[in-house]
Amino acid sequence: MCKKEYGGIRMMMPLQPDATIGIIGAGQLGKMLAQSAQKMGYRIATYDPNPKACAFPVSNWHQVGSFDDEESLIDFSKKVDVVTYEFENINAQILKTLHSEVNLPQGTDLLLTSQDRVLEKKWLNEMSVATAPFWEIRSFEDLEAALIESGFPAILKTTRFGYDGKGQIVIYNQEQLSDDRDSLAQMLQSACILEGYCAFDKEVSVMVARDQYGTIETFPISRNIHRKGILFSSQVPAELSSTAEEKIQKIAKKIAKKANLIGVLGIEFFLLSKGEVVVNEVAPRPHNSGHYTIEACNVSQFDQHILAVSGHKLSPIKLLKPALMFNILGQDVKHVSHIWEKYPEAVVHLYQKGEAKKNRKMGHLTFVDNYFEKYDSLRKNLENSNE
C-alpha cells in the first residue's frame, strides 16, 4: 500500500480510479457504499456468507464466506486495495489480524469497543460523555441487585450482537421478574447489561465523518422515531434549540477525534427534558438514520465514507433541502405501489433482499420537501402496518 508524509505522519496515498475497494458485509449498507464508490470510478468487491446478498449484483466481483473464516477473509482482503466493513457484528479479532496485513484504514479499536455495550459505555464515560446509567449483569442475582439501584422500568440487553430491538427486554416491574423468569434466564446465558431508563423528549442522531488528515464533518442532526426498537422515521432538520445542536455536534466531534475515526460514525442520542444530552450508542459505519443524506445533501454519508477510507479529503457538507425518511419493512412492501401512485415525489429505495419477512428492512423512502404534514396519512398507514 502506498503511503505519504503529511504533517510528519505516514498516511495512505489517495486511491486512484479503477482501484478496488473491498467491503466486508454485502447487505443494504454494503450495496449503497458500493454504488457511491462506483460513481467515483472504483471497482468493488464484496464478501458475505449469504450467497444471495443484495450487494453482490452491484459488485464487480464477490466472495461468499463466513465472517468467522480467517483464511477466507484474508484471501479476500489481499485481492483488494483497501478494506472496509458495512456493519459491526463481524469477527473483530479476525479483522485485528487483517489490520496488520492489509489496508484497513478504519482499524479495529473503535469496532472492538462498539461491539460490547459495556465497553462502549465505559469508553464514553471515560471521556466525560454522558450515557444512561448501567450495570454489568452476569447472573439473576446481579440483575435483582441492579434493579434495586436502577428502579423500574429498566432495559436488559445482551452486551453483544443486538440490533433493531433484538437481544433486549424492558423490565417494567418486580412481578415481571417472576413472570418472565425463563426468558430472562435464557438471556442471561450471555453477558448482559442493564440500562436505566431515560425519560427522553426526543431521540436524535448525527453522522460524523473524519478523514486521515484530521478533518471532521458532521451531517445535519436527524430527529428519529422508533417503533418496537426499529427505526421508523428520520426528519431533518430535527427542530432542536441551537444550544442542543451545539452540544450534540461538539460531542460527535469529540468522539470522532478520540476514536481516530477514519470513515463515518453514527451516534444516537437521547435529548432529556432539561436539555441534557445522553449518548445511547455508536455505530462505526453508515447508519440507517443517515439515509436521508442521499437526496437531501450535496454529499451522502456513503460518499463521505468512501472518500475517507480511500485516502481522500472529506467534502464540506451542505443540507440542500429538508428531508423525511421512512423505513420500508417487510410488512410495508405492500404499500409501495400505492406510494408511487399517490406520492410521485417520493424517492423509493428497495434493496432487493429477497423474502419480505416481518420487520425485515426491505428499503426506505425519502421525501425532500418543506411541508411534511402532507405525509401524515402515509405515516399513519405505515404505523398501523407495524402494529
Side-chain angles (χ1 to χ4, degrees):
M1 64 189 78
C2 295
K3 298 283 184 177
K4 67 176 180 177
E5 292 283 342
Y6 186 86
I9 301 173
R10 296 281 286 172
M11 295 187 180
M12 181 180 79
M13 288 288 287
L15 294 183
Q16 297 304 302
D18 287 331
T20 300
I21 297 175
I23 304 173
I24 299 175
Q28 65 264 25
L29 297 178
K31 182 174 185 176
M32 288 182 271
L33 282 170
Q35 290 166 330
S36 279
Q38 286 171 331
K39 76 181 181 184
M40 299 179 197
Y42 293 120
R43 293 172 57 80
I44 286 295
T46 48
Y47 180 100
D48 201 278
N50 179 6
K52 296 182 179 179
C54 66
F56 283 173
V58 302
S59 305
N60 295 91
W61 60 271
H62 67 266
Q63 185 169 322
V64 177
S66 167
F67 292 137
D68 294 316
D69 188 336
E70 182 173 346
E71 184 177 343
S72 182
L73 275 168
I74 290 175
D75 173 67
F76 169 80
S77 300
K78 288 187 173 181
K79 295 175 184 174
V80 302
D81 296 292
V82 68
V83 180
T84 186
Y85 46 83
E86 66 143 6
F87 75 135
E88 62 269 33
N89 288 340
I90 53 182
N91 192 319
Q93 292 299 330
I94 292 178
L95 285 192
K96 196 169 183 178
T97 301
L98 281 179
H99 190 204
S100 64
E101 300 188 32
V102 301
N103 191 3
L104 182 66
Q106 291 159 278
T108 56
D109 289 347
L110 181 57
L111 176 64
L112 286 163
T113 299
S114 65
Q115 282 186 332
D116 186 299
R117 287 189 168 103
V118 171
L119 288 179
E120 179 181 272
K121 282 182 164 52
K122 285 182 176 179
W123 178 70
L124 290 168
N125 291 170
E126 284 169 3
M127 68 176 89
S128 301
V129 172
T131 64
F134 66 96
W135 294 261
E136 294 183 63
I137 306 297
R138 297 188 177 274
S139 67
F140 207 88
E141 290 71 27
D142 286 349
L143 177 60
E144 290 178 313
L147 283 166
I148 293 172
E149 293 186 51
S150 70
F152 298 99
I155 307 171
L156 182 68
K157 301 179 180 180
T158 55
T159 59
R160 299 172 65 83
F161 304 123
Y163 65 97
D164 288 346
K166 298 179 177 67
Q168 59 182 266
I169 297 176
V170 181
I171 304 174
Y172 292 99
N173 49 51
Q174 188 69 35
E175 290 72 26
Q176 191 177 344
L177 282 179
S178 298
D179 295 342
D180 293 349
R181 190 176 183 93
D182 290 344
S183 57
L184 290 169
Q186 183 176 1
M187 201 168 163
L188 289 170
Q189 291 177 8
S190 302
C192 289
I193 180 174
L194 184 75
E195 295 181 5
Y197 182 74
C198 287
F200 57 84
D201 283 348
K202 295 178 181 177
E203 290 181 90
V204 301
S205 62
V206 66
M207 305 305 302
V208 58
R210 181 177 178 273
D211 60 27
Q212 65 176 349
Y213 306 96
T215 303
I216 298 175
E217 291 281 344
T218 56
F219 284 93
I221 300 164
S222 67
R223 181 177 179 180
N224 305 323
I225 295 173
H226 287 78
R227 295 285 182 262
K228 296 180 179 178
I230 303 172
L231 182 67
F232 174 73
S233 67
S234 293
Q235 178 179 315
V236 177
E239 299 177 344
L240 306 179
S241 69
S242 58
T243 301
E245 284 205 12
E246 287 173 9
K247 284 183 181 178
I248 290 166
Q249 299 281 8
K250 184 177 180 179
I251 291 170
K253 291 175 181 178
K254 182 178 185 178
I255 292 172
K257 185 175 181 180
K258 180 70 174 179
N260 291 316
L261 177 69
I262 303 294
V264 163
L265 172 71
I267 310 175
E268 295 181 349
F269 295 84
F270 295 138
L271 187 60
L272 308 186
S273 58
K274 295 182 179 180
E276 299 100 325
V277 172
V278 171
V279 172
N280 180 32
E281 63 181 28
V282 303
R285 38 76 178 173
H287 192 266
N288 193 176
S289 65
H291 289 348
Y292 78 88
T293 62
I294 300 172
E295 283 79 33
C297 297
N298 63 311
V299 58
S300 77
Q301 62 168 340
F302 303 100
D303 297 334
Q304 289 287 59
H305 187 82
I306 294 298
L307 286 171
V309 300
S310 62
H312 293 281
K313 294 182 179 180
L314 298 177
S315 293
I317 297 168
K318 295 179 182 178
L319 179 67
L320 304 178
K321 283 280 189 179
L324 175 64
M325 185 218 75
F326 293 103
N327 265 328
I328 299 173
L329 305 182
Q331 61 269 32
D332 303 323
V333 171
K334 60 181 179 288
H335 295 297
V336 171
S337 295
H338 171 72
I339 291 168
W340 270 324
E341 182 178 344
K342 187 172 181 180
Y343 305 101
E345 72 274 28
V347 182
V348 179
H349 296 253
L350 294 176
Y351 307 143
Q352 297 180 307
K353 291 172 71 173
E355 184 181 354
K357 297 177 183 178
K358 185 173 182 179
N359 292 335
R360 188 183 192 192
K361 291 175 182 172
M362 301 302 293
H364 71 272
L365 62 97
T366 305
F367 295 100
V368 181
D369 206 329
N370 291 301
Y371 304 101
F372 297 139
E373 295 81 4
K374 293 189 296 184
Y375 309 113
D376 283 348
S377 61
L378 173 61
R379 181 188 294 274
K380 289 176 182 176
N381 285 341
L382 293 174
E383 284 182 329
N384 289 337
S385 74
N386 293 329
E387 288 299 322

